[in-house]
Amino acid sequence: MNLKATITASILAATSIMLGAFGAHAIKELVTAERLVTFEVGVRYQMYIALSLLVFAICEDRFQFEIRLVRILMLVGILLFSGSIYLIALSDIWGLNTKILGPLTPIGGLCIILGWTVFIYRVWKAAKKS
């Protein structure tokens, strides 16, 4: 089992639960329904990545490769993707300019996609060796 990936996944999962509760209770009355839905998308994707990384960490011994690059790409991706979504959703409350945040969301999504692509390629490559 990969300790760093397990800890990373656990932190992402725990903060996803905290942010979900924050969205459901603390900001529900402070933002528009549209902004709340946006916030929830960030929470949902963060949990997806957390669970994916946890599975990768638990199963790494079965893979014939290490998951470090996959973990880094997905971590950077979710920080940019969900992080920018959280800030955009809260921008009205905090008075943030979202112009700089807009491009971060797709860059984060691209990092996540690259992480999955690297994972798929490495699984395929390992399977060919077997």
Side-chain angles (χ1 to χ4, degrees):
M1 179 172 60
N2 184 311
L3 183 62
K4 286 182 182 179
T6 302
I7 291 170
T8 300
S10 299
I11 290 169
L12 286 174
T15 55
S16 177
I17 297 297
M18 288 185 274
L19 288 165
F22 177 70
H25 301 290
I27 66 166
K28 189 175 184 176
E29 304 298 324
L30 301 175
V31 299
T32 65
E34 182 181 339
R35 295 279 191 192
L36 188 58
V37 169
T38 300
F39 191 87
E40 290 169 351
V41 167
V43 171
R44 188 169 52 248
Y45 273 76
Q46 183 174 330
M47 183 57 81
Y48 293 157
I49 296 303
L51 294 174
S52 298
L53 286 175
L54 188 58
V55 169
F56 294 164
I58 292 168
C59 296
E60 185 180 40
D61 294 340
R62 294 181 180 196
F63 304 139
Q64 296 171 355
F65 57 88
E66 78 169 40
I67 61 165
R68 183 174 187 269
L69 179 59
V70 173
R71 178 176 52 85
I72 290 169
L73 284 167
M74 289 192 170
L75 179 59
V76 169
I78 206 61
L79 290 174
L80 292 174
F81 182 84
S82 288
S84 63
I85 285 177
Y86 299 144
L87 292 174
I88 289 168
L90 298 170
S91 64
D92 294 340
I93 298 171
W94 293 343
L96 299 174
N97 182 350
T98 60
K99 286 183 182 178
I100 193 169
L101 298 173
L104 295 180
T105 308
I107 292 170
L110 180 61
C111 288
I112 294 167
I113 292 166
L114 286 172
W116 278 107
T117 303
V118 168
F119 179 76
I120 292 164
Y121 173 74
R122 288 186 174 173
V123 167
W124 177 73
K125 190 174 170 185
K128 282 183 66 174
K129 287 182 182 177
S130 300

